[in-house]
Amino acid sequence: KKDNFLFIDQAHLPHTQTLLGLKRLLELKIGLAPSLRLVLVGQQELKTRFQENRSPDLAPFIQRCDQYELLPMNFEQFSNYVHHCFQNVDGLDVFNRLFKDDGLKNCFVNMNKAGLPAYPLSINNYLNQLMVLITTKKDCPYTYFKAAFFDFVTHQEIFVN
C-alpha cells in the first residue's frame, strides 16, 4: 500500500474555507486507511493561524494536524551551509575575503540582533542571489559582492569588521 501525499507550499495563505475543504478530502478513506495525507508548509503565520483559540472555524481541522517547526540554524549549521554554497560556485576566494577573521560569526550574531534569525529558507534566498552574482560577474571587484551581500541580508551593514 502506498500513501498519497498532497504538499501545499505557502499554506499560510489559503482562505479558511479552502482549508476546511481540504479537511473534507482528508476524511475520505479507503477501507480504514486515509486516502490522502496532507503536508502544509508555511511561514510563521501558519503556526499563529493554527492556534485553536485564534481560529475557532479551523478547530476541527487543527485538531487533526501534527505540527512541526523548522528552527533557525545554529552558527555551525549556518557556517557550513554558507561555506558549501560558496564552494559550489567556485567562490571560496570571495568567501574568504567577505568573511575574513570573525566576519561570518559577526554576520550571524548581527542578523539575530537585527531580528533576522537564520531560518534556512531566508538564508537560502539571500545566498542564491549572491551565488548568481558570483557566477555571472566573476570580474567584479570584491567590494561589489560585499555591498550586494549587505543589501541581500538586511539592507544595512551587519558585519563588524
Side-chain angles (χ1 to χ4, degrees), residues 86-145:
F86 276 85
Q87 185 176 358
N88 280 346
V89 295
D90 294 327
L92 287 180
D93 56 329
V94 175
F95 175 87
N96 291 330
R97 292 180 67 195
L98 192 60
F99 300 114
K100 64 181 179 202
D101 303 323
D102 287 335
L104 192 59
K105 180 73 169 176
N106 292 332
C107 172
F108 182 79
V109 168
N110 290 330
M111 283 173 61
N112 284 306
K113 281 182 187 175
L116 299 166
Y119 284 106
L121 179 61
S122 60
I123 296 301
N124 191 55
N125 289 343
Y126 301 137
L127 288 174
N128 281 343
Q129 294 174 49
L130 191 58
M131 297 304 106
V132 168
L133 282 178
I134 289 171
T135 57
T136 59
K137 305 208 182 280
K138 287 215 181 257
D139 298 331
C140 286
Y142 154 74
T143 52
Y144 178 83
F145 296 116

Side-chain angles (χ1 to χ4, degrees), residues 4-158:
N4 298 303
F5 287 86
L6 174 61
F7 286 82
I8 299 179
D9 194 12
Q10 301 294 322
H12 55 283
L13 298 176
H15 190 272
T16 300
Q17 294 304 316
T18 304
L19 292 175
L20 291 173
L22 288 171
K23 178 185 141 304
R24 289 184 186 93
L25 284 175
L26 294 174
E27 292 169 346
L28 297 174
K29 297 194 183 293
I30 299 174
L32 296 175
S35 61
L36 180 68
R37 297 185 188 275
L38 181 64
V39 178
L40 303 175
V41 180
Q43 304 294 329
Q44 193 66 27
E45 294 89 349
L46 183 62
K47 182 179 177 183
T48 303
R49 190 171 180 192
F50 271 32
Q51 294 172 347
E52 288 183 52
N53 59 342
R54 291 182 151 225
S55 306
D57 294 346
L58 289 175
F61 184 75
I62 295 168
Q63 292 166 353
R64 296 176 179 207
C65 294
D66 292 325
Q67 296 181 38
Y68 301 94
E69 184 175 356
L70 186 59
L71 299 174
M73 291 186 228
N74 62 33
F75 176 70
E76 182 180 352
Q77 294 165 328
F78 173 75
S79 176
N80 290 340
Y81 184 65
V82 172
H83 189 270
H84 167 77
C85 287
F86 276 85
Q87 185 176 358
N88 280 346
V89 295
D90 294 327
L92 287 180
D93 56 329
V94 175
F95 175 87
N96 291 330
R97 292 180 67 195
L98 192 60
F99 300 114
K100 64 181 179 202
D101 303 323
D102 287 335
L104 192 59
K105 180 73 169 176
N106 292 332
C107 172
F108 182 79
V109 168
N110 290 330
M111 283 173 61
N112 284 306
K113 281 182 187 175
L116 299 166
Y119 284 106
L121 179 61
S122 60
I123 296 301
N124 191 55
N125 289 343
Y126 301 137
L127 288 174
N128 281 343
Q129 294 174 49
L130 191 58
M131 297 304 106
V132 168
L133 282 178
I134 289 171
T135 57
T136 59
K137 305 208 182 280
K138 287 215 181 257
D139 298 331
C140 286
Y142 154 74
T143 52
Y144 178 83
F145 296 116
K146 186 172 182 176
F149 189 74
F150 291 151
D151 184 51
F152 291 151
V153 176
T154 64
H155 302 290
Q156 60 181 316
E157 284 208 17
I158 56 170

